[in-house]
Amino acid sequence: MGAFIIRVIFLFLMIFITSCSGDNSTQSVEDIGDGDNIEPINYTLHSTGNSNINTAPQGGIVLMGGSSEDDNAMRWFLNRASGGDIVVLRTSGADGYNQYMYQDLGVSVNSVNTIVFTEPSEHYNIISLINNAEGIWFAGGDQSTYINYWNNSAIQQAIKNAISRNVVIGGTSAGMAIFGDCVWTGEEIIGDFLDIPMFDGIIFDTHFSERNRLERLKGFINSSPCDIGIGADETTAITFDTDSLFTVYASSNEKKVTFINSEMSVQQVDSSPTGNGPFTIDDVFPSSIPTGLISKTMMYDSETREYLIYIPSTYDHNSPTPILFAFHGFGGYNQYFINTADFRTLADQFNFIAVYPQGLVCGDGTTWNTHPPGGDNKCSQDDIGFFGALLYEISGNYNIDASKVFLTGYSNGADFSYSMACYQSSLVTSIAPVSGLMPMVDASSECQPSHATSVMIFNGTNDYSRPYNGIAGYMMSVDQTVAYWSQYNNTDSSPQTNIVGDIENYTYLNGDNNTIIDLFKIVNGDHYWFNLSYNGNSMEELMWNFFSSN
């Protein structure tokens, strides 16, 4: 045992002396575990250069289609490391990148450390190298091995942390494939692995023309939530600036990068030895954004979530656009609810986007969980988080006015809109629930909005499912809800009153930030999405007049 300890100490002293000397030599560290309280390293480290220094990397991403690297794109990568330390991650091969990056390309970097994983490892030495890197490169190999070794590990988290601190990153072949919002592992398509916002909705493929992968990439788009595929030929590189502008490099002008969208439109961008670009994805697909009703899916919390989105004929991608979410009731489906709560004509007339999300099946029907996970919910899905993720995804695809995010819903969907005004208040401008109740016992302690919020309420006095007087111990009465929001918004204590037939309208004005509470009490009204007329306006028209003013 004593001899073993001496051997370990000597080995690490040699590495330390070499790294401090500034030599371009390479040292290799093998597994030193003997089973006696010493953590097995489970990797090989090849180090070239000096001990760690701290510089300010410039960020950016370079992706290559496999085979040999493009030297000019790799110089772009190294320059953006600002003379710092490079870490190469791989699960096969050896130290081929060390001399190439450290000396052959003529770009000054402080060190190159290649880590070859022989099996999954979260060794603190690896974490330390990643934490101190200014550039991270993923070698080719097998992306499924990368996923299996690193997914949900400290290595994956360290990489994500590096991306957050603006480290320049890149990869080739399998090292490129893992960058997408959707990732082909060789056996299946999984969700986002590295969480890079500029690649939301994108899946990558490599060795593209050489292996005739056009139809494969089309299949990836058809069978995944991603709606753009990018395929790179061998020896071809794409550099992405931090503002998402990209440039295509290759030593041969015959090499290309292929782009495919969800409509199966195929576009190609030529390469150049000095870089062809910069471009944006909008430059590649310059046609106008499709309007009308579109059915979409997204992955959230390991569930495929569905939604219908209506893009008005007047939509202009250069102008921020209001958005309205309409949530169906318990047991409902958005494909039917859109015909009941139909905002499409108004959306075309007043230029807003209407979204109809689909709830998940829970027990004997579809539902919206109105409380955070672990709360008083029927099932386990995180619908509150899903709403935030859905708004984020739509905002990435369309120009959304974040100051005009409106919610309505029926029954359980109305309850859910109340919850969003409490739990996702920072995302919500105003709400208009129909035949629902605030799903709380004491809103003053359970609801924590971040701003004054205008609320329009429609309830019938003979509602069997959501009684006007509430459900004791579970849901607040309509009058309690009005009192809570009136007090929170600091409105007038006495409402303006107007009665038209069986409809009693109570409006509380002059709240903070000009907010109002607008109650429509339908005398003898049942549990409906009301087909009413009030001063010549339908309920949907009343809602939009309210939303557009609040």
Side-chain angles (χ1 to χ4, degrees), residues 393-513:
E393 170 164 293
I394 295 172
S395 299
N397 296 327
Y398 302 94
N399 190 347
I400 300 301
D401 188 340
S403 69
K404 297 179 180 179
V405 179
F406 310 121
L407 275 62
T408 186
Y410 166 67
S411 190
N412 171 233
D415 309 340
F416 187 68
S417 67
Y418 278 123
S419 294
M420 294 306 92
C422 293
Y423 300 123
Q424 292 280 30
S425 173
S426 63
L427 305 179
V428 176
T429 306
S430 53
I431 64 172
V434 178
S435 293
L437 296 175
M438 199 159 172
M440 300 170 185
V441 177
D442 179 12
S444 62
S445 61
E446 298 177 62
C447 182
Q448 297 180 342
S450 60
H451 62 89
T453 305
S454 290
V455 180
M456 174 177 269
I457 300 171
F458 295 86
N459 279 91
T461 59
N462 282 352
D463 191 327
Y464 64 93
S465 178
R466 297 292 188 272
Y468 195 88
N469 291 326
I471 302 174
Y474 181 53
M475 289 179 157
M476 295 166 55
S477 71
V478 175
D479 290 341
Q480 288 173 328
T481 299
V482 169
Y484 167 75
W485 285 108
S486 176
Q487 181 179 11
Y488 181 84
N489 291 344
N490 195 29
T491 68
D492 295 340
S493 57
S494 298
Q496 292 185 356
T497 302
N498 190 30
I499 299 175
V500 178
D502 293 334
I503 302 173
E504 299 178 5
N505 177 219
Y506 302 94
T507 304
Y508 297 77
L509 300 172
N510 299 317
D512 295 341
N513 298 323

Side-chain angles (χ1 to χ4, degrees), residues 124-365:
Y124 62 88
N125 285 345
I126 303 174
I127 304 299
S128 178
L129 286 169
I130 295 173
N131 287 344
N132 288 290
E134 281 73 38
I136 299 174
W137 181 257
F138 299 88
D142 184 345
Q143 59 261 38
S144 66
T145 306
Y146 287 158
I147 301 297
N148 291 335
Y149 279 14
W150 301 335
N151 199 28
N152 298 319
S153 73
I155 300 295
Q156 182 188 44
Q157 188 58 54
I159 295 168
K160 290 181 179 181
N161 292 342
I163 294 170
S164 297
R165 59 185 173 85
N166 210 36
V167 164
V168 61
I169 57 175
T172 184
S173 190
M176 172 177 172
I178 64 175
F179 274 74
D181 192 21
C182 306
V183 178
W184 171 246
T185 68
E187 297 179 351
E188 63 177 340
I189 295 175
I190 64 170
D192 207 336
F193 178 64
L194 294 180
D195 295 333
I196 300 173
M198 77 166 72
F199 294 152
D200 285 350
I202 295 176
I203 185 169
F204 292 105
D205 206 351
T206 58
H207 306 277
F208 198 69
S209 65
E210 292 80 7
R211 299 185 185 179
N212 298 313
R213 287 180 166 173
L214 177 61
E215 294 304 317
R216 183 171 95 156
L217 187 54
K218 288 182 178 179
F220 288 167
I221 296 171
N222 283 329
S223 60
S224 78
C226 288
D227 52 15
I228 292 179
I230 300 178
D233 289 351
E234 292 179 357
T235 69
T236 306
I238 321 165
T239 62
F240 294 86
D241 290 333
T242 53
D243 56 5
S244 302
L245 292 171
F246 71 87
T247 302
V248 179
Y249 291 83
S251 58
S252 169
N253 291 329
E254 296 180 357
K255 297 293 184 178
K256 302 179 186 299
V257 174
T258 301
F259 295 78
I260 308 172
N261 67 10
S262 58
E263 298 177 333
M264 297 297 109
S265 172
V266 178
Q267 304 291 332
Q268 290 186 318
V269 176
D270 295 331
S271 62
S272 166
T274 57
N276 180 26
F279 303 99
T280 68
I281 297 295
D282 288 339
D283 295 328
V284 178
F285 298 110
S287 57
S288 60
I289 293 176
T291 59
L293 187 63
I294 305 168
S295 177
K296 292 195 174 188
T297 63
M298 63 175 285
M299 291 297 297
Y300 178 73
D301 202 20
S302 301
E303 295 273 7
T304 299
R305 303 302 299 257
E306 303 173 357
Y307 62 99
L308 297 173
I309 184 168
Y310 184 79
I311 308 302
S313 57
T314 51
Y315 175 76
D316 180 358
H317 196 62
N318 295 315
S319 300
T321 305
I323 188 167
L324 182 152
F325 290 84
F327 298 95
H328 63 74
F330 176 77
Y333 289 88
N334 57 1
Q335 60 183 311
Y336 306 120
F337 186 56
I338 189 174
N339 295 319
T340 300
D342 195 344
F343 289 93
R344 286 172 288 186
T345 299
L346 289 171
D348 285 331
Q349 183 178 355
F350 296 105
N351 191 41
F352 64 90
I353 291 172
V355 182
Y356 296 81
Q358 177 60 51
L360 294 177
V361 174
C362 172
D364 56 353

